Amino acid sequence: MKTIPMLDLRLEYEYMKEDIDNAIKKCLNHQRWILGPEVKELEDKMALYLGTKHCIGACSGTEALVMALRALAIKRKKQEFFDHNDKIITTSFTFTATGDTILRAGATPVFVDIDPETFNIDIHQIEECIAKTKNVVGIVPVHLYGQACNMDEIMKLAGEHELFILEDVAQAYGGMWKEQKLGSIGTAGAFSFFPAKNLGGFGDGGMVATDDDEIMEMVRMLLRHGGKDKYNVDHVGYNGRLDTLQAAIVSAKMKYIDEFNEKRRNIAEIYTKELSDVDGLVLPVKNVNMPDEHVFHQYTISVLRGKRNELQKYLKEKGISTMVYYPYPLHKMKVFGSGRSKSFGSLMHSESATEHVLSLPVEPLQSMADTEKIIDIIRKFFTK
Ligand SMILES: *Cc1c(COP(=O)(O)O)cnc(C)c1O
């Protein structure tokens, strides 16, 4: 039986083989594996693409988040870590690392609920949470599945309450809010090049983007063990550098990112067109009032009436992979228990989403025939 994967990284490699092979060969020739020329090259290219003053390579999206948060603590509080009393607002419906990095930076994550339509953090909940919570120092909005949070509203709240905004852009490279690239709007943005992200390397990698000189300098110190001189350091640092080889590969792949994001949008458009009349599904509908450009890192449907797991099993039997992003909300995880985090309100939409969401294959190079096959089988499930 022919199977359809969520992603086909081998197919993508074949598509851009020459560019990638050449980039790797260049590294083999120069042998400068730690902070080699490709790292600076990628940082400059990305800063230009995103429209930020600085980009700083990191060894993963997670470490990019941690180092950005640590740099913010050092800059704003003049201390190595945030205090447990410092609250950072984020969503409960995201990848673990969003909340975990807040813990690692010493602060307390405060989880607020999502807007059930977009799965992104609910702006009204943030507003209420700020009004009722002491010592909120910042917000980490996540552009989930490649769709922008309402950055106008978030930046407005940041201005009114002197908060920092760290955008978690791990799923939204190339996504836009109005005329601005995601990750370039807040105080800083953190990207991931995990292989399955919409801009992925051949291993772990990440990036911090910022206009702030102090944050840039601090992240550069933190990623080299905490000092300008790594043999005589000032801060509690990390070995957080972006690998030369990953920088070379991501740099080669950047040539294709706009084309691939467009291909993702095209597949999403077909799904939406062909599935919109299926009773029992809620599709990621484009809100015409939202001036964003979705990059469809995931095309995520909601399956109603408790049929999500049944549909997933049915698709699997027919050779079609799907994924549940995410099966648990952060506030229910043990790591965020024992008083380490706070929950604001009921978080009912986050909890409900974990029971209903299903992400369909969006391989940019996926054939029309495969997309149609997936649609056919989903339709069959609902008429069987
Ligand atoms: C993948 C991801 C991260 C972490 O990135 P890594 O490169 O895997 O460390 C953080 N936040 C979100 C929302 C992600 O999807």
Side-chain angles (χ1 to χ4, degrees):
M1 181 175 60
K2 185 183 173 304
T3 58
I4 304 178
M6 286 294 284
L7 267 184
D8 190 342
L9 294 178
R10 166 164 287 277
L11 195 65
E12 293 187 27
Y13 167 59
E14 295 296 337
Y15 190 81
M16 46 183 94
K17 185 175 189 314
E18 209 184 318
D19 293 294
I20 290 176
D21 288 2
N22 286 339
I24 293 175
K25 262 185 217 139
K26 252 170 95 181
C27 297
L28 291 173
N29 283 327
H30 69 53
Q31 293 285 321
R32 290 161 66 189
W33 300 116
I34 302 299
L35 297 179
E38 283 78 6
V39 175
K40 173 84 169 53
E41 229 172 83
L42 179 67
E43 288 173 346
D44 290 347
K45 238 162 83 173
M46 269 193 186
L48 201 66
Y49 179 91
L50 297 169
T52 54
K53 197 162 162 200
H54 311 289
C55 273
I56 311 103
C59 63
S60 71
T62 303
E63 299 310 293
L65 284 165
V66 171
M67 292 191 291
L69 287 167
R70 289 282 317 285
L72 283 157
I74 294 167
K75 178 184 164 162
R76 291 169 63 111
K77 296 193 65 107
K78 312 284 178 230
Q79 58 185 48
E80 290 293 303
F81 293 87
F82 284 110
D83 295 318
H84 184 62
N85 199 27
D86 293 320
K87 317 281 189 338
I88 298 178
I89 293 176
T90 193
T91 164
S92 183
F93 189 60
T94 177
F95 181 56
T96 328
T98 312
D100 175 54
T101 50
I102 296 174
L103 294 180
R104 287 176 60 198
T108 298
V110 181
F111 297 119
V112 311
D113 212 354
I114 53 168
D115 168 349
E117 259 185 35
T118 61
F119 302 110
N120 275 329
I121 194 161
D122 182 333
I123 304 296
H124 304 293
Q125 291 287 313
I126 299 180
E127 259 181 316
E128 258 184 63
C129 179
I130 293 172
K132 291 183 182 158
T133 311
K134 281 206 183 78
N135 280 318
V136 175
V137 294
I139 307 174
V140 181
V142 182
H143 305 297
L144 199 71
Y145 305 146
Q147 183 172 30
C149 297
N150 187 328
M151 289 310 290
D152 287 354
E153 296 291 338
I154 288 173
M155 293 316 290
K156 189 164 149 258
L157 288 171
E160 287 166 7
H161 301 276
E162 290 175 40
L163 310 176
F164 72 78
I165 304 298
L166 173 59
E167 294 175 73
D168 182 339
V169 215
Q171 303 190 2
Y173 192 92
M176 311 269 291
W177 173 258
K178 293 188 174 165
E179 300 302 309
Q180 284 174 290
K181 286 273 182 337
L182 300 180
S184 74
I185 306 166
T187 324
F191 293 88
S192 164
F193 309 135
F194 182 83
K197 306 292 181 179
N198 71 316
L199 179 61
F202 290 178
D204 283 307
M207 187 72 75
V208 176
T210 186
D211 287 334
D212 186 312
D213 296 346
E214 256 181 273
I215 292 175
M216 179 274 289
E217 266 177 41
M218 198 51 64
V219 172
R220 283 211 188 285
M221 281 167 83
L222 290 175
L223 66 82
R224 301 173 70 229
H225 304 279
K228 287 204 170 87
D229 172 355
K230 76 170 174 179
Y231 300 111
N232 181 14
V233 307
D234 300 342
H235 298 284
V236 181
Y238 306 89
N239 181 350
R241 299 170 297 236
L242 174 61
D243 188 71
T244 300
L245 205 50
Q246 296 310 327
I249 291 160
V250 171
S251 191
K253 288 183 80 172
M254 259 186 88
K255 178 173 153 190
Y256 299 91
I257 186 65
D258 288 339
E259 175 193 341
F260 271 41
N261 282 341
E262 188 57 32
K263 284 179 164 35
R264 286 173 182 275
R265 279 191 286 273
N266 291 340
I267 294 167
E269 204 179 314
I270 299 167
Y271 278 141
T272 298
K273 187 160 163 271
E274 302 294 330
L275 292 172
S276 60
D277 63 334
V278 176
D279 181 31
L281 288 184
V282 179
L283 307 178
V285 183
K286 167 86 183 133
N287 181 343
V288 289
N289 297 317
M290 289 281 275
D292 68 307
E293 190 151 83
H294 201 324
V295 295
F296 286 100
H297 173 59
Q298 300 298 341
Y299 185 90
T300 303
I301 60 176
S302 289
V303 188
L304 305 180
R305 299 192 272 279
K307 296 214 163 184
R308 194 263 314 271
N309 294 350
E310 206 187 314
L311 173 61
Q312 184 173 37
K313 189 164 155 271
Y314 185 79
L315 286 164
K316 190 171 174 216
E317 283 163 9
K318 312 272 184 225
I320 295 163
S321 307
T322 57
M323 290 291 283
V324 173
Y325 298 119
Y326 293 92
Y328 303 99
L330 267 53
H331 67 277
K332 291 263 173 103
M333 292 183 193
K334 191 173 169 193
V335 62
F336 298 110
S338 309
R340 293 197 192 103
S341 74
K342 289 200 177 319
S343 293
F344 180 76
S346 77
L347 304 178
M348 58 184 268
H349 295 303
S350 301
E351 288 180 16
S352 164
T354 62
E355 289 162 17
H356 295 113
V357 291
L358 191 66
S359 298
L360 305 182
V362 203
E363 163 52 53
L365 300 175
Q366 174 174 308
S367 70
M368 187 64 142
D370 279 357
T371 306
E372 277 169 355
K373 184 173 169 194
I374 296 163
I375 291 164
D376 267 3
I377 294 172
I378 294 174
R379 294 188 71 94
K380 257 195 210 110
F381 173 82
F382 283 98
T383 50
K384 78 179 158 74

